[in-house]
Amino acid sequence: GSQPQPLAATADAADPPDPGAAPATLRTDREGVVVLAAAGQSVWLCVEDTRDQWSLQEGQKLRLANPMTGPSVTIRLTTPEAIELEVRSQDGGSVSYRFTEPFSVGRAKPSAAGDSLAVPCSEDQQFVPSRHAWVEKGEEGWVWCRHPQGKEDKRKERSTWALVPSGSECRVGRGVRDGVVAVRAA
């Protein structure tokens, strides 16, 4: 498939019909950068391109590794103290996990107290990197963080992707690392 594209890139075959249209645009305001998904086109936004901590919201959908074929994760905030993740793999199977303590996503045992969640995430059913992400309860709710011992993913092959529904916006803030935010048409 095609590689994730910066917001200013032109569309490819998987994008909206207008060959010059981007699947999303950027705008800035006093609070930072906002990604706007085009009308009629949802997009996957690379979480690691935005900031070190991604605030998790009820019903939010994430994808691990490949934004088109990686396993999907739906966030359920059941109580202020607990988080549930419904993980759906490429084969359509679904499992829910509930956590009340910080936890690691990946094969490695966590470096702090908490459980570890291993999820298959490639076409050949390999597992996520050993240190994909760290999820913890912050002051304002649960956050998805880059694992403190994880490796940077410049090629976007092992990243986390958040769904931005058609016609809606996602506030990225001021944390964009290098001025490029990868998006893929959903």
Side-chain angles (χ1 to χ4, degrees):
S2 63
Q3 292 293 313
Q5 54 186 288
L7 292 172
T10 59
D12 66 17
D15 290 329
D18 178 357
T25 57
L26 286 178
R27 74 172 166 80
T28 57
D29 60 23
R30 292 186 314 214
E31 297 177 27
V33 178
V34 178
V35 175
L36 296 117
Q41 181 65 64
S42 296
V43 295
W44 293 103
L45 168 71
C46 184
V47 168
E48 287 84 358
D49 283 347
T50 63
R51 56 187 141 216
D52 291 330
Q53 292 187 344
W54 182 265
S55 296
L56 297 173
Q57 307 297 320
E58 171 63 30
Q60 186 173 47
K61 295 195 184 312
L62 303 174
R63 278 265 167 106
L64 306 182
N66 185 315
M68 304 310 286
T69 62
S72 64
V73 177
T74 301
I75 304 301
R76 300 282 178 232
L77 302 174
T78 54
T79 70
E81 296 80 31
I83 185 171
E84 286 184 15
L85 287 81
E86 179 187 350
V87 179
R88 187 171 302 275
S89 63
Q90 292 106 335
D91 64 8
S94 176
V95 180
S96 291
Y97 301 90
R98 184 175 191 272
F99 297 95
T100 57
E101 298 291 328
F103 59 97
S104 175
V105 177
R107 293 188 318 270
K109 293 179 181 175
S111 59
D115 293 316
S116 204
L117 173 63
V119 180
C121 78
S122 69
E123 287 86 10
D124 60 358
Q125 295 298 311
Q126 294 294 315
F127 286 84
V128 295
S130 59
R131 296 174 179 96
H132 185 84
W134 180 256
V135 180
E136 64 187 15
K137 180 92 166 76
E139 290 181 17
E140 297 183 21
W142 289 90
V143 291
W144 186 278
C145 310
R146 172 182 276 175
H147 196 287
Q149 298 160 346
K151 296 178 182 176
E152 188 171 350
D153 180 27
K154 292 181 181 182
R155 294 181 56 193
K156 314 284 190 261
E157 294 173 340
R158 296 178 175 219
S159 294
T160 304
W161 300 81
L163 183 67
V164 181
S166 165
S168 65
E169 63 182 40
C170 179
R171 186 163 297 283
V172 176
R174 300 192 185 284
V176 177
R177 290 183 295 176
D178 59 4
V180 177
V181 177
V183 295
R184 282 289 301 267

